[in-house]
Amino acid sequence: MTDTRDSTAISPREPAYEAVRTYIRFLGEDMPTSTVVRNAFIWHAVNAALDAMEPAEGTA
């Protein structure tokens, strides 16, 4: 698969995307089969992404 993203135009959402990708990679092949547990993992990743998007202290 070819990456068609323009590497010079970095989205302000990139830290959130990277947080989710990192968390999903962390899970590896061990994704739970239970819907409840899988949803918990996904929401944990979403919260990590939102935390990554918060401005650093003193920059807002």
Side-chain angles (χ1 to χ4, degrees):
M1 178 180 273
T2 304
D3 187 359
T4 59
R5 293 180 292 177
D6 179 2
S7 62
T8 61
I10 297 174
S11 167
R13 294 182 178 191
E14 192 60 34
Y17 298 152
E18 187 56 36
V20 171
R21 284 191 294 266
T22 299
Y23 189 72
I24 290 170
R25 279 193 303 268
F26 168 77
L27 294 175
E29 299 297 319
D30 296 326
M31 286 296 289
T33 56
S34 161
T35 301
V36 172
V37 177
R38 193 169 45 245
N39 283 343
F41 278 120
I42 291 167
W43 280 110
H44 182 80
V46 168
N47 281 307
L50 292 172
D51 290 345
M53 289 187 66
E54 289 182 4
E57 195 171 315
T59 62

